[in-house]
Amino acid sequence: MLEGSDLTITLDLFVVSLLLASLLFLFCLVLAKRKYSFLKRVNPKFDLKKLLILSAATVCFLRVMSFIGVIAMDLANVRAHYSLKPASSHIERDTANNIHPIEKNQAFYDSSMTVLFDLPNAIVISTYVLLTLVWAECSLLSRFHTESTAQWRKRGL
């Protein structure tokens, strides 16, 4: 280590909670990888169950990356706040027609929050839609196993 380096990193409750959430999502990512490997060994054909597992793993990976991005912005001390109205719509300029640095940070922050949080949310919604498709497929396949082919033939004649 360098002598005389006064590098200190302070972690607030927000950063600690994001780190814990990242660890939980990493754990879910490992579980999804194990489940996908098991399903691939049982049946090498790609089906809806494997697609559901891959979708859940993608959500976990993107959530971990988004939390790491928010932690990095917090540790870099980006002085911006989350608002529903984008900063680009109300940029203030001074008399020399220069954009204030806080507004530049706010515009970057707004854009990054849109990508970091809205993209995984869209994938979560599509994962739940896929879950209903998997449930419907399993329900349909389970009904075929309980039906007797002899009864189907009698009904058809």
Side-chain angles (χ1 to χ4, degrees):
M1 290 235 150
L2 297 172
E3 290 184 28
S5 66
D6 294 330
L7 178 67
T8 58
I9 297 176
T10 57
L11 300 176
D12 55 355
L13 187 60
F14 177 66
V15 172
V16 171
S17 63
L18 286 177
L19 283 172
L20 287 175
S22 296
L23 287 174
L24 290 173
F25 275 111
L26 276 174
F27 178 69
C28 290
L29 185 63
V30 169
L31 289 177
K33 183 190 175 301
R34 286 182 181 175
K35 185 68 174 178
Y36 181 75
S37 298
F38 172 75
L39 288 174
K40 195 171 182 181
R41 270 183 284 151
V42 171
N43 185 9
K45 187 176 77 168
F46 193 75
D47 57 353
L48 278 178
K49 291 178 189 175
K50 290 180 190 156
L51 185 61
L52 177 67
I53 298 295
L54 286 176
S55 180
T58 303
V59 167
C60 289
F61 177 75
L62 286 176
R63 280 290 180 201
V64 168
M65 296 310 292
S66 67
F67 289 158
I68 289 172
V70 171
I71 289 170
M73 284 196 306
D74 189 56
L75 291 178
N77 210 7
V78 174
R79 301 239 183 253
H81 65 280
Y82 183 75
S83 66
L84 295 175
K85 190 163 97 172
S88 60
S89 65
H90 59 277
I91 291 178
E92 296 178 12
R93 297 178 184 266
D94 59 7
T95 56
N97 207 14
N98 294 328
I99 299 174
H100 295 289
I102 190 74
E103 294 299 325
K104 288 181 183 177
N105 286 343
Q106 187 66 43
F108 171 74
Y109 186 81
D110 289 342
S111 300
S112 62
M113 287 301 115
T114 300
V115 171
L116 291 176
F117 286 113
D118 290 345
L119 181 64
N121 288 342
I123 294 174
V124 165
I125 297 301
S126 64
T127 300
Y128 281 117
V129 170
L130 186 61
L131 179 64
T132 59
L133 288 175
V134 169
W135 175 81
E137 181 187 34
C138 290
S139 174
L140 187 62
L141 290 176
S142 68
R143 289 190 71 207
F144 285 147
H145 291 291
T146 58
E147 297 288 336
S148 170
T149 56
Q151 289 178 351
W152 277 100
R153 285 186 195 144
K154 286 180 186 177
R155 286 185 203 161
L157 294 174

